[in-house]
Structures are given as C-alpha cells and as structure tokens.
Amino acid sequence: MAVPGVLEAMVEQLLARVQELESALAQRDQRIAELERQLGQDSSNSSRPPSSDAPWGKKPAKKRSSRSRSGLKPGKQPGMSSSSRSLIDDPDEMVVISPERCRGCDVSLAGAPESGRERRQVVDASPVPPPVVTEYQRVSKTCVCCGTVNTPAWDAGDVHGDVVATAGSPVRIGPETLARAALLTCGHYLPIGRSRQLLEALAGVDVSTGFLAGVRGRAARKLEKTFLPHVRDLLIGAPVLHADETTGRAAGALSYVHVACTEYLTLLHVGGRTKGDIDAGGVLPAFTGVLVRDGYAGYEHLTGAVHAWCGAHLLRDLRSISDADPVGQLWASAMADTLLEAHHAARAARDNNAEALDAATLARIRNHYLGALARGDDDNRDLCGQLPTEALTLIGRFRRFEDMILRFATDLTVPFSNNMAERAVRPVKIQQRTSGGTWRTLTGLIDFAVVQSYLDTATKWGIDKLHALRELFTTGAWLPPALTPS
C-alpha cells in the first residue's frame, strides 16, 4: 500500500498538471479567438481598403452601420426634374403607318378621314462617318528683290498648328482623336488594346497601340505647365483640405499616390510614404487651414495646419474591437454611438445654418466621450492578450487626440469623414485592376496621377471629361477660376 504522504504528493502533482493544462487550453482558446478575429477583419471593421477584400469572402453586412436612413424612398424623388426624352418637331426621317383596308368590312380606306394620330420616335446612333482628313501645304517663296527664300512656320494661324508643327511623320492624328483616346484610357480606365478597338469602332480611326499608350503622357506634359501650379496655389488657400494616400504598383515596386483635395479641386502626386514624399505635392507644407486625414503619423510634422481625424476610420477601428468581444468591450460601442450622435447633431446644425453646436449639446457629447473612455479603462484593467492590448492602444489614441477627433463637432466647417479624399484616390485601384494589377513603368503611374487630377477637378465643376480633354489638346488646359464656384 502506498504511504499517505506519497498519495498526497501524487495528488498535488496531478492537480498542478491539471492547472497547467487548463492554463494552456485557456491560452490556446485566446489565441484561436484572436486569429479568428484577424481572419474576420475586412474594410468594414479595420483600416484595410475595400480593394483588399476578397470577392469570394465577402459576408453579408451586419445590421449595425455608421450610416443612418434618410427616410427617402429609392429612385427619383418628388419634385426632382425628369430625365426622360421628349418628342422633337423636326425628326430626320418620318415613317407613317396607315391602315389600307377596313378590318370590319374590308373596304378600302383610301381617302377616309383621319380620326387620330400617335407619335413615337426612335433615337439611334448614325453609322460611324469616315475620318476628316485636312491637308496642310506649306509654300516657300523667293524674294525677287534680294533672293531670300521665305518659308512660314507650320503653326502659323491655325488652331491645329501645334499638331502639324511637331517633327515626325507627315500624317498626324488630330486633337479630337487625341481627346477621345485620352477619354478611353484616362477617363474610363480601359486597357490600351480595348481602347484601340473602341476608338476604331466608335470614331472610325485606326491608331497603333503605341500611339494610345503615349496619349496619357502627352496630356500630362501639357498639364504640368499650367494646370498643376494653378491648382496648387488654390489648394494652399483652402479653409479645409482633405489628404489621403493609397498604394500603386509600378515597375515591379510599390509606390504611393497622395491626394490633396477639396469639394471642387483634386491634386494627385506619386512618391513614397515619408514626410518628404508627402510634402513633394507642394501643397501641405504651406497649408494653414484644417487638414482632414486618417491616423497616419506621416502627417504629424505639418504643424502649420489644424488637424481633424476622419470619423469613418475611427468607427471601423471601434467596430473591430466591439465585434471581437461585444460584452467585454462595451466601451467601443458606446464610443461609436457618441461619435454618431455628434455627427448627427453637427449635420442638423449645418442644415439649420447654425455657426456652432449649442454649449449643452457639446458638453453632453464630451461627457459621453469621456465616460466611454473610463468604461474602456475598467473593461481592460488587469487583462492580458492581443485584444485588450489593442483596446488600450485605441483608448490612449482617443484620449490623446480628443480635440482632433471632435473637430467636426467644434467646427461645423469640418466634415465628419475623409470620404472625399478616399473617392479621389479610388481610380488608382480601378486603373490598376484593368491594367493587369500594375503599371509597366513608374512614369505611367505619375502621368496617370496628373491626368486624373485634371479630369476629377473638371468633373467636380460639372465639365464633361471629353470637353475638358478636347480643350486640353486644342487651346490648352482648362483652369478652375477659383477655389469654389461661388
């Protein structure tokens, strides 16, 4: 028989082993939960861009959303103008459909009185006309007095002179075709091969792929002279500016496309992600207004501006914490509700033309804000693991940057989110996808940023892209006359 002391020692060893296994299982469960949380992250609950979401892995959206219902039904709203076509009085061709014999008694209806007439019109595209060819003949004359041979310049007195005057083949492509080619490759982000096919099908002009590949660069060279400096000067004087960046793969390496924009102006430039690359756009170092941005630390050196943190980014960060542990991280839901409450209050104040939120509303928002942080401290006190660590980091961020985060509530000229900048850089991802996932050269990405700045700005001013490109290749780049139309 075993000695009682030996039995007690064995029991203690077994109990210690059980506790050790329970601790290991708890750590493993915690690790599995953390990995599942990381796998469940996408653009809706993290800082990842929507382009990183796998299309086969998209899940139905949760009922909770940062957006609120407008109360309007989908489709055309009452009182809005209709866009349906109207009959015209002078159609190009008229076809009259008239009965020849009576369907009741089979009598001829020739000469019978007309009792009614309905009109319907079919609007259709005409066949593609052949391209217009204009020949330029430069005549040289010899002076009968001194014998000097006088030869005029190719670009003397003609709107297409700059096209004719350049060195190269005696057959050139005119500015209208240049504008349409740029519309396909730059305005609609189509690959070169498909653009060539569409240009021939819709305009009747067959050009080489090399010509189409060079159109973007030709447009960019024209815009660099006048458009870019003009927009930089306007953006520097803006009261509120949006800044963001996204990745663009070119020449086998990763670059960053930076944007500085307002409601009516857009300026993109390409570089790395350092402070110097951010400043290379020529706008932010001299900007002294309110800069709306995300949490990237690369903007912190811009001390001349007043900074505002994008609320949409913060809501995604809070959702990531809340979705991982809704009960244990209740503070994250409370903070998200506080931000949305402040957003709705600020929007209502703007709609009522108020200059600021009333003191009571602002005090209530700050009280809820601080209360959510205090609850977060309590929820994560003495906890270990990846989720509590990330939660405490986010709590510290909210506490440190309170004024930046609530800027939209204390200054009603500042919007809640940085969606304006995100929309401005989204075409980079669209073009990258249609181009096989990368630009062949870094110059191609730089030229895309220049031309996209021009087209996005023109669109914001209500100018058709083709019209803006046509003006670029004829009389020169269109320039926005001011910071805003007013």
Side-chain angles (χ1 to χ4, degrees), residues 333-347:
S333 298
M335 180 61 78
D337 292 341
T338 300
L339 292 180
L340 291 175
E341 176 193 0
H343 172 41
H344 296 154
R347 185 171 58 186

Side-chain angles (χ1 to χ4, degrees), residues 293-356:
R293 61 175 181 85
D294 57 21
Y296 177 50
Y299 297 106
E300 292 181 356
H301 71 286
L302 302 171
T303 56
V306 178
H307 294 240
W309 204 309
C310 171
H313 280 78
L314 294 168
L315 288 178
R316 290 196 289 267
D317 293 337
L318 291 169
R319 179 171 297 175
S320 176
I321 300 297
S322 176
D323 288 350
D325 188 1
V327 177
Q329 301 292 339
L330 188 61
W331 75 273
S333 298
M335 180 61 78
D337 292 341
T338 300
L339 292 180
L340 291 175
E341 176 193 0
H343 172 41
H344 296 154
R347 185 171 58 186
R350 294 189 199 97
D351 293 341
N352 294 328
N353 297 320
E355 296 183 356

Side-chain angles (χ1 to χ4, degrees), residues 245-248 254-258 269-274 277 445:
E245 73 287 329
T246 191
T247 55
L254 197 64
S255 298
Y256 284 84
V257 181
H258 300 268
H269 78 278
V270 178
R273 216 182 176 202
T274 65
D277 293 317
L445 177 58

Side-chain angles (χ1 to χ4, degrees), residues 235-236 238-245 259-262 278-279 283-311 403-405 407-408 411 413-418 421:
L235 287 173
I236 290 174
V240 178
L241 193 64
H242 295 256
D244 199 7
E245 73 287 329
V259 62
C261 66
T262 65
I278 292 175
D279 294 346
V283 175
L284 298 183
F287 180 68
T288 57
V290 178
L291 180 64
V292 183
R293 61 175 181 85
D294 57 21
Y296 177 50
Y299 297 106
E300 292 181 356
H301 71 286
L302 302 171
T303 56
V306 178
H307 294 240
W309 204 309
C310 171
D403 291 337
M404 262 182 65
I405 292 172
R407 188 81 62 197
F408 71 93
D411 184 353
T413 64
V414 179
F416 174 71
S417 74
N418 199 28

